[in-house]
Amino acid sequence: MNSSRPWLRPIVLALLLSAVAPSFAATDPSFLLTASSNDFATYFPGQLANGYFSTMTAPRGTEGNLAYMVALMDYTRDDFSRPAAIPGWTEIDYSTGTSSAGHFWMNQVALAPSVFQNYRQVLNLHDATLSTRYRYIDHSRATDVAVTTFVSQASPHLAATQLSITPDFDGIVELSFALNTWAPYQPRMPLGKLTGEQMQEAVAAHNMKLEPIAPATSDRAAFWYHGDTHVLTSHGDAKDLTLSLDGRAERGLRMAEAAAISLPDQLKPIDGKFYRSDYRLALNLRIPVRKGQTYTFTKYVAASRENWGGDARDDLALARTARTQGFDALLSAHQAAWHALWQTDVQIDGDSKAQQIVHSDLYYLLSNSTADTAWPIGACAMTPGYAGHAFWDSDSWVFPALLLLHPSRAKSLVMFRDRTLPAAQQRARERGLPGAMYPWEADPENGTEQTPYFARVLGEREIHVNADIAIAQWQYYLASGDKIWLKQHGWPVIREIAKFWTGRATFNAKKQRYEILHVTSVDEDYNDVPNDTFTNASAAKALNIATAAAAIVGETPDPRWSDIAARMLIPFSEKDGHHLDFDESVPHDMDSWGGSSLPMLSYPSLDFPMTQALRQRDYDFALSPITGSHRDPNSMGLAPTSIAAATLGDAVGASEWFRRNITADVIKPPFNVRTETATNNTGYFLTASAGLLQNMVYGFTGLRIEEAGVVEAYPPVLPASWKSLTLKHVRFRGIAYDITIDRDAAGKTRLTRTAH
């Protein structure tokens, strides 16, 4: 593996940030998510991550949990690519040593309030730490337990978990510091070649169902399982208190992990042993303890993958160095880095619930994004949800949400499309089309098409993704003003996508217009329609962008681009005076999950121009199928509807649709994990998290990113119960602003900007 570490920032630099980071009251409830023993039965795991690697949370705080690494994929033959679970690195198991019923390890004891007393677990969003406290009762022996875990934002290869125990007895206890090497997932199914019917048969044959299981198993867990990482070599040193391993994702990239353990000062274990099996790599220690004395143990972890860091030997050196510097130094640097991120914030005065959920959504987005790289963000973060693939969600949902708030993280998403342009060009050639045809589901590492075979129609027909990508490239240029970047990175993507549309559009000579046939609508239940309105409007915008970009970089645009854009059919009902969802030849009569895609015409990145009267008619027409649907509402559609209402100046409608997006139905306790729908349990759904933030950044403010700058395209609106909404420290073309919406003395909503 490449042993260079261009992203590894020394801890000392992050410590310097603490001198400039703003002071913060740790008790601010909008940043604190708390679990109690009442949550044991309904515990939906949260996530700790730094964009490069992650872990899930668990109630005890000491468990070995599933963990993932950015774009580390399993490429099992006849399957689609999927995130390979890396060895779990969090586990520190504990045993009091004896019990009347035999020997127990705490992580195997059933959760019960009588056993885990005075229980409290806090996910601190501002510090990005998980802290757990309880009194553990093992028959006649009791131990006060405190655990803190984090994945470093300051030094991305590092993480740590610290356990403190205070026994109420004298004796010998046991501790096990482990790296959990997961068994290969079974059953594996050849989902790369099964039809929808065959897939359902295979699921049934394995005695599984496509149904969610409470509290946190999604309805598609039967085929959204994690991929495999195989341990190639492993080592442990009981004297040095270290563990390390080299591994490889199935048919994929190499990775490595290491751990270095620190013990309390002057404490000497009675004995220490290195343990290795097919499923576990561990240091097992027997420790003498005295009643009432607190003993603190820390596990420093380093992780890397091919093209990001080194091998096990390099990681072991990192973990040892972290151990030498100490937990407090690593934690302080991590907190300072997160506090610097939170200088950019979305602040609500007058709605504590909305504020907390906005902070939760932003936390999960920041935890799963990287700055100045070329990796995308999966629709469900670093989890197996939607197999970790990059959809249009990355370009049209997450990218705009980050663009003003954290532009360096937004840049990584458009750079992914630049990096994987050759794969998109190859895909177009295979179909006899010019330019680049980006996948519907792109592998986050190599950009290849990874749509499951049973859903392959989406890969061929939901082609609006190509316009979405071009629009995002242009939006980044508008927000950065970087002409060099445009020429070197954005323009090649925009140009090749424009070429694709010249080959994909069809000229209707009889009606003297261009049409796009055989597409899947944004409302995917309509999977073979002519002239999907959102697709056609987006394609026309992408073509106009190509013409504009050519002029800036000194290239000659293809004259067909502007001609196709000008004569592109945008389906419209002359009788009723509003746009249609797609060609008038297709009945709009399904009880579909989307109801209507017309609100997407007002989505900030597209912002299709029309009069306010037409906008109102479109909105009124769309509401009926949206509100009348009997399908489980998809949280992806709530933000566009709120934004569409806001463009009309309808503060009541915008507020109501926003309110639906922060209800408990799609926000799972205790850590505000957002799901795709109220019942499908597809969690960590960053698409909808980003949609909610766009609702704030562009919807309520009425702001749009255009060549003239961040313009007030629509009058701002503010929910009636809110006193103000402030976008704190947003950045545009290198200048930082605070943007506030509040009301003047007469009660009129107003927007003000203050440059830093």
Side-chain angles (χ1 to χ4, degrees):
M1 286 188 284
N2 182 352
S3 62
S4 64
R5 298 179 183 274
W7 296 285
L8 180 58
R9 291 171 286 174
I11 290 174
V12 66
L13 291 180
L15 280 169
L16 292 175
L17 289 174
S18 63
V20 298
S23 60
F24 176 77
T27 56
D28 182 341
S30 71
F31 285 99
L32 301 177
L33 305 179
T34 302
S36 71
S37 58
N38 293 331
D39 295 298
F40 285 167
T42 57
Y43 187 96
F44 206 111
Q47 190 184 44
L48 298 170
N50 63 6
Y52 295 92
F53 74 111
S54 72
T55 186
M56 310 308 292
T57 74
R60 299 170 187 82
T62 56
E63 296 93 335
N65 304 314
L66 283 168
Y68 299 92
M69 190 173 288
V70 62
L72 183 74
M73 306 298 284
D74 170 319
Y75 298 104
T76 294
R77 196 183 305 276
D78 296 331
D79 198 0
F80 51 76
S81 71
R82 58 181 71 245
I86 64 173
W89 52 267
T90 51
E91 183 174 8
I92 306 177
D93 211 349
Y94 169 66
S95 171
T96 63
T98 60
S99 76
S100 59
H103 186 73
F104 286 97
W105 286 99
M106 185 173 70
N107 289 343
Q108 309 305 316
V109 175
L111 287 170
S114 60
V115 176
F116 297 88
Q117 297 180 356
N118 305 321
Y119 177 88
R120 188 171 186 261
Q121 186 176 70
V122 177
L123 178 59
N124 185 320
L125 307 176
H126 195 257
D127 290 358
T129 57
L130 184 76
S131 300
T132 314
R133 289 182 177 274
Y134 46 85
R135 186 169 178 81
Y136 171 56
I137 308 299
D138 182 5
H139 295 79
S140 62
R141 292 188 166 186
T143 308
D144 290 329
V145 175
V147 194
T148 298
T149 303
F150 64 92
V151 184
S152 178
Q153 185 66 224
S155 298
H157 289 279
L158 294 174
T161 185
Q162 185 173 83
L163 169 70
S164 294
I165 58 171
T166 308
D168 74 346
F169 56 89
D170 296 335
I172 298 172
V173 302
E174 296 183 62
L175 292 162
S176 182
F177 301 86
L179 298 177
N180 299 106
T181 54
W182 312 110
Y185 189 90
Q186 295 294 333
R188 297 291 297 245
M189 292 180 279
L191 294 169
K193 61 181 185 181
L194 296 183
T195 66
E197 184 175 343
Q198 290 169 333
M199 177 273 293
Q200 294 185 60
E201 290 172 353
V203 169
H206 287 98
N207 197 30
M208 298 185 295
K209 296 181 179 180
L210 297 177
E211 296 177 359
I213 301 173
T217 302
S218 83
D219 58 340
R220 284 156 281 185
F223 56 83
W224 278 350
Y225 41 80
H226 63 76
D228 299 329
T229 295
H230 305 292
V231 175
L232 304 177
T233 62
S234 61
H235 302 279
D237 188 330
K239 183 177 180 180
D240 189 37
L241 297 176
T242 55
L243 300 167
S244 63
L245 61 84
D246 283 297
R248 183 187 293 276
E250 174 67 24
R251 298 170 61 89
L253 300 180
R254 291 175 66 97
M255 58 75 61
E257 281 184 26
I261 315 304
S262 71
L263 305 182
D265 291 341
Q266 310 304 318
L267 179 68
K268 293 188 180 300
I270 293 176
D271 61 62
K273 296 180 180 179
F274 169 56
Y275 174 84
R276 176 168 47 198
S277 72
D278 290 340
Y279 310 119
R280 185 179 174 84
L281 189 67
L283 291 174
N284 296 330
L285 307 179
R286 297 177 69 233
I287 305 289
V289 295
R290 299 296 299 271
K291 180 178 181 179
Q293 185 170 334
T294 297
Y295 302 86
T296 298
F297 307 86
T298 306
K299 182 181 183 182
Y300 301 89
V301 175
S304 60
R305 47 148 279 189
E306 197 169 336
N307 302 319
W308 178 65
D311 58 14
R313 183 165 51 184
D314 296 314
D315 284 347
L316 188 55
L318 272 179
R320 283 173 172 152
T321 299
R323 179 171 64 183
T324 298
Q325 293 174 327
F327 182 80
D328 290 345
L330 187 64
L331 176 60
S332 179
H334 164 73
Q335 291 171 325
W338 266 95
H339 296 175
L341 288 175
W342 284 116
Q343 290 183 61
T344 298
D345 198 4
V346 178
Q347 298 176 343
I348 301 167
D349 184 359
D351 191 333
S352 59
K353 178 179 181 179
Q355 179 67 85
Q356 187 184 71
I357 291 175
V358 166
H359 280 157
S360 302
D361 282 325
L362 190 49
Y363 164 81
Y364 286 113
L365 282 168
L366 292 175
S367 295
N368 287 278
S369 60
T370 54
D372 298 315
T373 69
W375 281 313
I377 296 179
C380 293
M382 281 188 280
T383 76
Y386 281 108
H389 298 157
F391 294 74
W392 72 303
D393 310 41
S394 184
D395 307 270
S396 291
W397 295 79
V398 178
F399 167 79
L402 292 175
L403 183 54
L404 295 179
L405 300 174
H406 295 279
S408 63
R409 290 168 185 254
K411 182 181 180 181
S412 298
L413 308 188
V414 290
M415 290 300 294
F416 168 71
R417 299 302 189 179
D418 172 58
R419 178 170 66 82
T420 58
L421 177 58
Q425 291 172 308
Q426 176 63 27
R427 193 162 180 266
R429 284 193 295 270
E430 291 170 353
R431 288 154 180 78
L433 291 167
M437 182 181 181
Y438 280 89
W440 176 241
E441 293 191 39
D443 181 276
E445 178 60 25
N446 60 38
T448 59
E449 172 66 81
Q450 295 294 331
T451 303
Y453 185 75
F454 58 79
R456 65 194 182 281
V457 65
L458 302 181
E460 298 303 318
R461 295 178 181 164
E462 196 153 359
I463 55 174
H464 65 77
V465 63
N466 294 281
D468 305 324
I469 290 167
I471 291 169
Q473 301 286 317
W474 183 243
Q475 288 273 295
Y476 181 76
Y477 163 68
L478 293 179
S480 67
D482 189 341
K483 292 183 180 180
I484 295 175
W485 176 88
L486 179 65
K487 186 175 182 65
Q488 294 179 348
H489 302 287
W491 161 246
V493 174
I494 292 168
R495 178 193 63 217
E496 295 304 299
I497 288 175
K499 290 179 181 178
F500 165 78
W501 288 117
T502 63
R504 191 61 174 78
T506 300
F507 184 62
N508 185 326
K510 181 178 180 180
K511 297 186 177 181
Q512 289 294 295
R513 69 191 188 195
Y514 285 91
E515 302 179 354
I516 304 176
L517 310 177
H518 298 295
V519 299
T520 294
S521 172
V522 178
D523 189 356
E524 292 173 352
D525 288 329
Y526 296 90
N527 64 17
D528 184 6
V529 299
N531 300 311
D532 174 66
T533 300
F534 178 79
T535 301
N536 286 21
S538 299
K541 181 162 186 172
L543 288 163
N544 283 329
I545 284 170
T547 299
I552 292 170
V553 301
E555 300 286 346
T556 302
D558 186 332
R560 291 178 296 174
W561 296 346
S562 58
D563 180 56
I564 295 171
R567 293 199 278 171
M568 181 70 73
L569 170 63
I570 307 298
F572 190 83
S573 171
E574 297 293 345
K575 174 186 174 185
D576 299 316
H578 59 72
H579 289 108
L580 300 171
D581 286 80
F582 26 71
D583 199 279
E584 62 183 357
S585 64
V586 179
H588 189 245
D589 56 4
M590 292 186 190
D591 184 5
S592 64
W593 75 263
S596 173
S597 60
L598 288 188
M600 288 296 302
L601 295 181
S602 297
Y603 209 53
S605 55
L606 176 58
D607 197 26
F608 188 73
M610 64 183 92
T611 66
Q612 285 297 90
L614 174 53
R615 193 179 301 277
Q616 183 71 62
R617 291 193 296 272
D618 278 2
Y619 181 77
D620 293 341
F621 172 72
L623 277 189
S624 179
I626 290 173
T627 58
S629 176
H630 292 87
R631 302 279 289 275
D632 191 12
N634 192 303
S635 59
M636 192 172 183
L638 299 172
T641 309
S642 178
I643 293 169
T647 63
L648 295 167
D650 180 1
V652 173
S655 179
E656 172 57 27
W657 285 103
F658 174 84
R659 180 63 49 187
R660 296 188 189 195
N661 218 353
I662 62 171
T663 63
D665 292 341
V666 292
I667 306 293
K668 305 302 183 184
F671 299 132
N672 286 359
V673 174
R674 182 175 290 278
T675 56
E676 185 180 31
T677 74
T679 62
N680 74 2
N681 273 356
T682 299
Y684 320 97
F685 192 49
L686 297 185
T687 304
S689 294
L692 182 102
L693 286 166
Q694 286 203 58
N695 206 155
M696 315 285 283
V697 175
Y698 306 103
F700 291 150
T701 67
L703 296 173
R704 297 292 183 271
I705 297 173
E706 299 180 2
E707 291 184 69
V710 181
V711 303
E712 297 174 34
Y714 306 96
V717 299
L718 196 63
S721 63
W722 295 11
K723 297 177 182 178
S724 67
L725 166 66
T726 299
L727 309 181
K728 191 78 174 174
H729 208 265
V730 299
R731 277 157 287 177
F732 183 80
R733 296 177 187 169
I735 301 175
Y737 299 89
D738 289 347
I739 299 173
T740 299
I741 311 171
D742 60 7
R743 297 180 181 87
D744 62 19
K748 182 179 179 180
T749 303
R750 62 186 178 184
L751 183 146
T752 57
R753 310 185 198 202
T754 304
H756 285 263

